[in-house]
């Protein structure tokens, strides 16, 4: 195999990084991004999809709402400084010495070394049904999510290769012959050496439908329920985690990643997918359920569980089991091209960390979340809300930690909405968001960032932006 599936997907994520840096929780929703991801009680139309479908049952301010394009992207780190961050992105050919290598090992060690998210909603539509029958929404969404966490051993191996402390402890003589070194029977298992390391990435297409309806309408109290369904096409996944003595390692990639599987492709236990374009190699079904309440005229409450279900990856599936630490072929990095070195560490033909085996299929849970929200809407000129989002599993594409955020929308002018707030968690640390939206009775267009401070901070840099090309609401007030 010319390059492992993990290598290719990591490199694909790496190629997307410069775009994300110039371009973040619900990234394609530019309004939510401007509030730092706070959205549970705010969302009202097709933007409820994946958030809280019960909001479609609330008293609407539209008859038809649709978008012709919303896109967002974000990249951040909790361990890299801005200077190192820029070196990794822009200076891959720059030579480095022992001092720079020591700095890299330190800064590549952390629970959130790098987080990348790209989210597009190229088609969204919501319709309010007549006679109190609620609302229905549809969308087509594309997502890219990537997460990198490394313990010190993993960072040391990436930077120093055969000269990493843990490698030299069990393989003191460097291998310069090009032939495999016999495994040291006293070497520990990879799950122990890499404990706390996660390398995860997922690329998917989603086709969504959601429905919500009001079920209780009393004076001073309204309750709505909702449900959503999504059919998911899997374009690629890499999920490698070492935690508590357990190793999870599998990949499945579309032919667009151009992986040469070599002799592995001829095995009976391998479904080789070939061709061009974004050919799916996995399929899944997801479900969302929600409740939304209005108390009095101003208080809003919401609770939902999203992304229940699973994906079954059936094409180009490779997996690796736990094994003894072996000598690696790499001598480490000589430049700031660290992403390529991470990829080489997972090349199955290069005597590195993993030995891959073929598999017919792999089933994995979707990144399920519990979402809770509370808010106050005084009028269309002022609304505030508090969101808490909890990841219910640790699969690729999920939040790496709970998210908490406080958001606010203010309309100083009838045609201008400003959004801001404060948020923390989800692998991105504390952030101060800012959003600007131009509003009319028919259309909205806006731009936002999840963290203004992160754009300029030397420590824990973060860059994000969300763009709403045009978002229309017809048949009601804005």
């Amino acid at each position: 195999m010319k390059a492992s599936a993990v290598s290719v997907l990591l490199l694909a994520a790496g190629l997307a990084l410069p775009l994300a840096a110039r371009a973040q929780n619900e990234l394609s929703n530019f309004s939510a991004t401007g509030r730092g991801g706070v959205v549970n009680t705010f969302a009202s139309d097709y933007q409820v999809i994946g958030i809280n479908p019960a909001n479609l049952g609330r008293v609407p301010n539209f008859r038809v709402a649709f978008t012709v394009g919303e896109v967002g992207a974000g990249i951040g780190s909790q361990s890299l400084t801005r200077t190192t961050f820029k070196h990794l992105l822009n200076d891959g050919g720059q030579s480095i010495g022992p001092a720079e290598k020591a700095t890299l090992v330190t800064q590549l060690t952390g629970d959130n070394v790098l987080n990348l998210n790209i989210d597009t909603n190229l088609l969204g539509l919501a319709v309010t049904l007549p006679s109190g029958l609620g609302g229905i929404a549809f969308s087509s969404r594309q997502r890219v999510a990537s997460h990198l966490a490394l313990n010190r051993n993993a960072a040391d191996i990436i930077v120093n290769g055969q000269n990493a402390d843990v490698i030299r402890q069990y393989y003191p003589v460097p291998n310069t012959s090009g032939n495999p070194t016999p495994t040291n029977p006293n070497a520990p298992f990879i799950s122990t050496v890499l404990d706390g390391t996660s390398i995860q990435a997922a690329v998917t297409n989603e086709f969504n439908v959601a429905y919500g309806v009001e079920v209780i309408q009393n004076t001073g109290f309204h309750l709505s329920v909702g449900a959503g369904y999504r059919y998911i096409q899997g374009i690629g996944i890499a999920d490698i985690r070492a935690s508590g003595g357990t190793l999870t390692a599998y990949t499945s990639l579309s032919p667009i990643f151009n992986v040469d599987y070599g002799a592995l492709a001829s095995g009976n236990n391998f479904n080789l997918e070939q061709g061009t374009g974004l050919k799916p190699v996995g399929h899944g079904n997801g479900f969302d359920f929600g409740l939304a309440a209005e108390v009095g005229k101003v208080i809003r409450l919401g609770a939902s569980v999203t992304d229940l279900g699973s994906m079954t990856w059936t094409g180009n599936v490779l997996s690796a089991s736990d094994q003894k630490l072996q000598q690696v072929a790499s001598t480490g990095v000589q430049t700031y091209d660290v992403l390529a070195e991470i990829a080489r560490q997972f090349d199955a033909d290069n005597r590195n960390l993993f030995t891959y085996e073929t598999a017919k299929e792999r089933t994995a849970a979707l990144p399920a979340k519990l979402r809770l929200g509370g808010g106050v809407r005084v009028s269309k000129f002022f609304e505030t809300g508090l969101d808490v989002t909890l990841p219910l599993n640790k699969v690729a594409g999920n939040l790496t930690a709970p998210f908490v955020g406080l958001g606010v929308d203010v309309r100083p002018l009838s045609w201008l909405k400003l959004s801001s707030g404060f948020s923390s968690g989800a692998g991105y640390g504390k952030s101060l968001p800012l959003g600007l939206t131009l509003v009319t009775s028919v259309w909205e267009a806006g731009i936002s960032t999840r963290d203004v401070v992160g754009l300029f901070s030397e420590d824990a840099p973060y860059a994000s932006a969300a763009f709403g090309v045009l978002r229309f609401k017809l048949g009601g007030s804005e």
Side-chain angles (χ1 to χ4, degrees):
M1 185 172 66
K2 182 172 63 177
S4 76
V6 179
S7 304
V8 177
L9 194 51
L10 284 173
L11 289 174
L15 291 172
L17 298 185
L19 168 64
R22 292 191 297 267
Q24 123 179 295
N25 247 300
E26 309 313 325
L27 281 164
S28 65
N29 184 334
F30 62 90
S31 299
T33 299
R35 296 186 296 267
V38 177
V39 67
N40 196 299
T41 60
F42 287 84
S44 63
D45 46 56
Y46 58 84
Q47 292 184 338
V48 309
I49 291 173
I51 305 297
N52 190 343
N55 287 359
L56 288 168
R58 295 190 326 207
V59 177
N61 62 355
F62 66 93
R63 288 298 175 187
V64 177
F66 64 95
T67 185
V68 294
E70 297 181 18
V71 60
I75 179 175
S77 172
Q78 291 296 298
S79 63
L80 301 172
T81 64
R82 176 169 293 277
T83 299
T84 303
F85 197 75
K86 289 181 177 178
H87 282 317
L88 298 184
L89 294 181
N90 303 320
D91 302 325
Q94 180 177 324
S95 298
I96 60 175
E100 290 83 3
K101 287 187 177 185
T103 298
L104 276 176
V105 172
T106 298
Q107 294 189 19
L108 287 172
T109 302
D111 293 334
N112 289 284
V113 176
L114 200 63
N115 290 302
L116 166 71
N117 296 89
I118 301 173
D119 189 2
T120 66
N121 189 6
L122 299 181
L123 174 64
L125 172 67
V127 178
T128 298
L129 301 176
S131 304
L133 295 178
I136 189 168
F138 308 88
S139 76
S140 172
R141 194 178 246 176
Q142 299 73 41
R143 294 181 182 269
V144 177
S146 184
H147 167 64
L148 180 64
L150 302 173
N151 71 358
R152 190 169 185 85
N153 285 334
D156 195 7
I157 293 171
I158 289 167
V159 174
N160 293 305
Q162 295 185 20
N163 294 314
D165 291 343
V166 70
I167 298 294
R168 293 294 296 270
Q169 180 179 353
Y170 297 98
Y171 302 95
V173 179
N175 185 337
T176 59
S177 69
N179 298 316
T181 299
T183 301
N184 185 336
N186 296 318
F189 281 91
I190 291 177
S191 59
T192 300
V193 174
L194 301 184
D195 187 48
T197 294
S198 297
I199 300 176
Q200 298 176 301
V203 183
T204 58
N205 289 330
E206 298 179 1
F207 303 93
N208 300 276
V209 60
Y211 174 73
V213 64
E214 190 172 73
V215 293
I216 297 178
Q217 184 179 2
N218 294 329
T219 302
F221 181 76
H222 296 256
L223 179 67
S224 299
V225 299
Y229 167 76
R230 65 180 49 84
Y231 172 71
I232 308 169
Q233 294 179 331
I235 305 303
I237 191 168
D239 193 354
I240 298 172
R241 288 171 281 140
S243 178
T246 301
L247 176 72
T248 297
Y250 75 96
T251 66
S252 176
L253 287 174
S254 168
I256 195 172
F257 292 100
N258 195 30
V259 178
D260 181 3
Y261 294 97
L264 293 176
S266 61
N268 293 328
N269 196 38
F270 191 66
N271 295 324
L272 178 64
E273 289 285 357
Q274 297 176 304
T276 60
L278 295 173
K279 187 174 183 179
V281 289
H283 304 272
N285 301 282
F287 304 89
D288 305 330
F289 301 95
L291 297 172
E294 295 188 13
V295 182
K297 295 183 178 181
V298 297
I299 297 176
R300 292 179 170 181
L301 303 172
S304 59
V305 180
T306 62
D307 285 310
L308 299 176
S310 64
M311 287 285 297
T312 299
W313 300 87
T314 57
N316 302 337
V317 180
L318 298 177
S319 64
S321 302
D322 204 0
Q323 62 189 66
K324 293 276 189 176
L325 178 69
Q326 56 189 354
Q327 174 68 290
V328 298
S330 171
T331 57
V333 298
Q334 308 305 319
T335 70
Y336 278 110
D337 195 6
V338 175
L339 289 175
E341 184 60 29
I342 293 175
R344 282 191 288 270
Q345 290 300 324
F346 298 93
D347 187 337
D349 285 342
N350 202 24
R351 304 193 325 279
N352 286 312
L353 291 175
F354 298 110
T355 300
Y356 283 99
E357 299 176 348
T358 59
K360 282 288 188 182
E361 64 179 39
R362 178 82 180 218
T363 299
L366 293 179
K369 305 173 189 68
L370 171 64
R371 297 175 175 269
L372 304 173
V376 174
R377 188 178 193 272
V378 176
S379 70
K380 70 178 183 180
F381 295 104
F382 180 84
E383 184 173 358
T384 185
L386 174 69
D387 269 19
V388 177
T389 304
L390 305 174
L392 299 180
N393 54 35
K394 295 183 179 182
V395 302
N398 210 342
L399 304 180
T400 61
F403 166 85
V404 179
L406 175 66
V408 60
D409 283 346
V410 179
R411 296 267 294 270
L413 300 170
S414 61
W415 53 269
L416 177 64
K417 180 171 68 177
L418 301 178
S419 303
S420 189
F422 177 82
S423 61
S424 181
Y428 288 101
K430 299 177 177 61
S431 62
L432 182 67
L434 182 64
L436 183 153
T437 305
L438 303 179
V439 181
T440 75
S441 60
V442 175
W443 59 265
E444 297 179 0
I447 183 172
S448 57
T449 180
R450 181 177 172 178
D451 187 24
V452 175
V453 178
L455 294 173
F456 308 100
S457 172
E458 171 62 20
D459 297 323
Y462 180 80
S464 77
F467 303 91
V469 179
L470 277 179
R471 161 180 159 88
F472 296 91
K473 286 188 174 184
L474 307 177
S477 63
E478 78 278 9

